[in-house]
Amino acid sequence: MANILEVKNLSIDFKTYAGDVHAIRDVSFELKKGETLAIVGESGSGKSVTVRSIMGLLASNAQVKGGTVKYHGDDLLKKPEKEMNQIRGNEISMIFQDPMTSLDPTMPIGKQVAEPLLIHKAMNKEDAMKRALTVLDLVGIPNAKERMKDYPHQFSGGQRQRIVIAIAIVDYPQVLIADEPTTALDVTVQAQIIDLMKELQRKIETSIIFITHDLGVVAGIADRVAVMYAGKIIEYGLVDEIFYQPKHPYTWGLLNSMPTLDTAGKLEAIPGTPPDLLDPPKGDAFAPRNPYALQIDTEEMPPFFEVSKTHYAATWLLHPDAPQVEPPAAIKTLMAKYDEVAPQKVGQTDGKG
Ligand SMILES: Nc1ncnc2c1ncn2[C@@H]1O[C@H](COP(=O)(O)OP(=O)(O)OP(=O)(O)O)[C@@H](O)[C@H]1O
Ligand SMILES: [Mg+2]
């Protein structure tokens, strides 16, 4: 199936007083129609910067050092701002990390939801309001018709989150990017929002990039997963491959400390902290925190090793000459389940899982 979006060898620096922050380091991934890709990783790993580059919304001190972001084959990084304005919020839409601040407190919500249509599609006001009502219904705002004239403060936090999603999807975007849309919400609302996104995907065939710290929510929503660490993707695969055949010790660490939706616990941090991206280590950036680190991890960056046609991991442990190591017990338990869960899913990359 054709790729809607293809990020290739993307590298982004930020100029700061202290020097250049190497925030994104040679990142590549793809997104197919109707598929959900989850990007997971600790704070500061580069998730938001990656998707902001797709939206053409990088901070002014950002410098793209290399790579391409192809959307239907066209490099978005080369598009003039005027063309990006047409694509942004129209074909590619983003639900921002802090949804509560992205609503205008002075404008009725019906008008706010309709606004992108007036801007991008030059739709007349009546049709735009009709579509706004359709999506407000779709995202589950009760009595949407009567409530179109209400202001954001008249809605609950969960409802405001839904309104933000309504704005993001009102143009029926081909790509919807959700940057950690659930953290500020209670568990029940989190689960509802995730269900809602899946329903939207069925209805409007949107491809989704879903960013989260929480591997627990990934299982229910993603077709594929990219695990990021210190500005790099260190493991990439189908969701079952990441959960039941994880190869990188960092992925093991994430899975090991995975909160569940029931406990809604924050990710229990893996001991240690990520490296300073002003001066990233020359080998595997995770090595100083990695109980399984080999000598070579501190010396040379591991390449991607192919685990399957859909699964890659950048760890020297996959080198044929590497010593065999025992993953943590919890990971071995997961691995033992792989044969039960995965056979019918491996190789299925069309995102209709
Ligand atoms: N405008 C900027 N100037 C300098 N450094 C920046 C800028 N924006 C981001 N960074 C740095 O880039 C790195 C990646 O940041 P990013 O926001 O993508 O992280 P993230 O994975 O989204 O984290 P979180 O989970 O906390 O949202 C971080 O080290 C951050 O400090
Ligand atoms: Mg972020």
Side-chain angles (χ1 to χ4, degrees):
M1 192 171 293
N3 294 328
I4 288 207
L5 198 67
E6 236 172 53
V7 174
K8 235 187 186 136
N9 305 118
L10 184 66
S11 292
I12 297 172
D13 283 2
F14 288 102
K15 289 250 165 246
T16 72
Y17 288 115
D20 292 355
V21 177
H22 305 290
I24 302 297
R25 305 188 296 142
D26 198 19
V27 160
S28 302
F29 62 87
E30 63 205 29
L31 186 69
K32 296 175 196 300
K33 187 163 178 65
E35 147 180 280
T36 301
L37 169 73
I39 304 180
V40 299
E42 283 168 300
S43 186
S45 57
K47 306 179 299 291
S48 294
V49 173
T50 300
V51 293
R52 281 180 163 271
S53 73
I54 299 169
M55 292 289 285
L57 289 176
L58 288 169
S60 58
N61 62 333
Q63 282 190 331
V64 176
K65 301 304 274 189
T68 52
V69 176
K70 288 198 173 158
Y71 171 66
H72 289 299
D74 271 354
D75 190 358
L76 294 179
L77 298 175
K78 295 210 169 71
K79 289 232 181 266
E81 179 54 21
K82 211 174 138 197
E83 274 180 60
M84 273 317 285
N85 252 326
Q86 264 308 312
I87 292 173
R88 194 187 304 131
N90 182 20
E91 293 178 49
I92 306 179
S93 234
M94 182 153 158
I95 304 166
F96 287 94
Q97 195 156 14
D98 185 5
M100 301 315 169
T101 57
S102 53
L103 291 173
D104 179 347
T106 68
M107 199 194 279
I109 60 124
K111 215 170 152 192
Q112 286 193 60
V113 176
E115 206 174 33
L117 298 169
L118 303 174
I119 297 171
H120 290 128
K121 302 255 197 262
M123 206 183 257
N124 71 46
K125 222 174 150 191
E126 197 183 328
D127 288 349
M129 289 309 265
K130 253 192 218 154
R131 172 81 74 85
L133 178 56
T134 305
V135 294
L136 282 167
D137 273 334
L138 189 63
V139 300
I141 298 295
N143 304 318
K145 196 167 180 191
E146 288 73 41
R147 305 216 57 190
M148 300 263 284
K149 289 202 170 64
D150 288 347
Y151 290 84
H153 73 269
Q154 293 168 284
F155 294 85
S156 72
Q159 288 172 330
R160 282 194 292 246
Q161 173 89 51
R162 287 157 191 268
I163 295 165
V164 169
I165 295 176
I167 294 172
I169 61 163
V170 72
D171 275 313
Y172 295 168
Q174 298 206 28
V175 179
L176 179 63
I177 299 170
D179 191 350
E180 199 92 68
T182 56
T183 36
L185 300 170
D186 72 57
V187 193
T188 328
V189 181
Q190 270 194 34
Q192 287 170 357
I193 297 283
I194 288 165
D195 286 345
L196 169 64
M197 290 186 50
K198 288 200 291 193
E199 193 183 326
L200 291 174
Q201 189 164 49
R202 280 193 293 274
K203 286 199 171 139
I204 62 178
E205 274 229 297
T206 300
S207 308
I208 295 175
I209 300 179
F210 191 89
I211 292 183
T212 181
H213 290 84
D214 182 350
L215 264 174
V217 307
V218 165
I221 189 170
D223 299 296
R224 278 190 298 151
V225 181
V227 182
M228 283 192 83
Y229 187 76
K232 295 179 83 66
I233 291 176
I234 53 92
E235 188 156 6
Y236 183 57
L238 298 177
V239 66
D240 286 337
E241 293 175 321
I242 298 299
F243 271 87
Y244 299 103
Q245 288 284 287
K247 297 295 182 195
H248 198 292
Y250 179 66
T251 313
W252 295 348
L254 283 184
L255 285 164
N256 224 351
S257 52
M258 192 170 80
T260 64
L261 272 181
D262 320 324
T263 60
K266 278 259 172 228
L267 195 67
E268 221 180 279
I270 299 165
T273 49
D276 183 357
L277 292 177
L278 281 167
D279 185 20
K282 65 178 176 190
D284 182 336
F286 187 57
R289 301 168 72 185
N290 180 4
Y292 301 91
L294 308 169
Q295 178 64 31
I296 191 172
D297 278 311
T298 59
E299 291 160 2
E300 204 177 318
M301 193 97 79
F304 268 118
F305 291 93
E306 183 181 306
V307 183
S308 79
K309 282 279 170 272
T310 47
H311 184 189
Y312 298 84
T315 166
W316 284 116
L317 289 178
L318 291 177
H319 191 279
D321 298 339
Q324 293 289 312
V325 303
E326 290 272 306
I331 302 303
K332 278 169 68 180
T333 311
L334 282 171
M335 287 175 158
K337 288 189 189 148
Y338 184 62
D339 288 339
E340 288 164 41
V341 296
Q344 68 280 22
K345 292 197 179 154
V346 171
Q348 176 190 337
T349 52
D350 65 359
K352 293 282 161 7

